[in-house]
Amino acid sequence: MIHIVLYEPEIPQNTGNIMRTCMAFNCQLHLIEPLGFKLDDKHLKRAGMDYIEEVFWTIYPDWETFAAKNHGSMYFLTRYGFHTPEECDFKKDYESGEDIYLVFGKESTGIDKAILKQHLDRCIRIPMVPDARSLNLSNCVAILAYQVCVATGFDGLSDREVQKGADFLLHIPEAND
């Protein structure tokens, strides 16, 4: 199981987009308080569309409560990371039955540095140009969730269009018809 952990998220639109990503990749979402918004925020609902209803998510009052209740392979995304996602052995974690937790920090300051210091060997960074401090939080979640899905062979995910049919494009009339 892939878990997305948002440490003190601040922007409802990002969290809504992340909820949509969690639904699409079959990830569980963990929200660690304080949140910078109310869960009934209209921006959160608009960004998450109707997928919010289909996401399994849990809220925790603080990091300590989350850490006490969840166990598995934890990876922390930070601009101070020592490893790239490609250097992480998500496949090994998956094959050994470990749950994979991808931990992301709040938009303004990231994950608490004391938490990062306890997990230096699991701090990862998405490579980017030297002048960029960071990417948008919801984009980072999508990138890393996809990376884990690749490593786990897209377990449980469809690689074909199922709503309109795998051969949908074959039945579209030519422009001149």
Side-chain angles (χ1 to χ4, degrees):
M1 172 63 65
I2 302 170
H3 300 264
I4 303 299
V5 182
L6 301 183
Y7 175 83
E8 301 180 3
E10 299 168 318
I11 301 174
Q13 294 91 331
N14 281 337
T15 301
N17 286 335
I18 292 164
M19 288 176 154
R20 189 173 179 178
T21 298
C22 285
M23 183 275 185
F25 287 136
N26 196 30
C27 301
Q28 289 187 10
L29 179 63
H30 304 267
L31 302 172
I32 300 175
E33 295 179 316
L35 308 180
F37 51 87
K38 296 195 182 319
L39 288 171
D40 63 353
D41 187 292
K42 66 180 180 178
H43 299 293
L44 174 83
K45 290 182 179 181
R46 185 178 306 126
M49 296 177 59
D50 55 345
Y51 298 112
I52 291 177
E53 320 284 308
E54 299 180 46
V55 176
F56 179 79
W57 46 290
T58 307
I59 301 173
Y60 304 87
D62 51 46
W63 172 259
E64 292 75 20
T65 303
F66 165 80
K69 292 183 177 184
N70 296 280
H71 306 284
S73 294
M74 295 205 187
Y75 297 90
F76 301 80
L77 184 71
T78 172
R79 69 188 212 173
Y80 309 111
F82 300 105
H83 308 284
T84 65
E86 291 75 21
E87 295 172 326
C88 300
D89 201 346
F90 301 126
K91 184 176 182 178
K92 178 182 171 193
D93 294 333
Y94 171 75
E95 289 175 346
S96 69
E98 287 280 327
D99 281 358
I100 298 170
Y101 291 83
L102 303 174
V103 184
F104 301 85
K106 60 179 146 184
E107 290 89 342
S108 63
T109 59
I111 303 166
D112 184 296
K113 306 312 176 268
I115 295 169
L116 293 176
K117 195 166 183 179
Q118 294 171 2
H119 303 279
L120 292 176
D121 61 326
R122 293 298 182 114
C123 289
I124 58 178
R125 175 183 170 84
I126 296 173
M128 62 188 98
V129 298
D131 293 336
R133 285 189 315 276
S134 65
L135 292 167
N136 174 275
L137 177 61
S138 63
N139 293 337
C140 291
V141 170
I143 290 168
L144 285 183
Y146 183 78
Q147 190 91 29
V148 174
C149 288
V150 168
T152 60
F154 300 102
D155 187 26
L157 304 179
S158 174
D159 64 350
R160 302 284 185 265
E161 166 58 44
V162 294
Q163 294 173 11
K164 293 190 176 188
D167 60 350
F168 173 75
L169 291 177
L170 299 175
H171 302 290
I172 295 177
E174 294 292 324
N176 294 334
D177 289 349

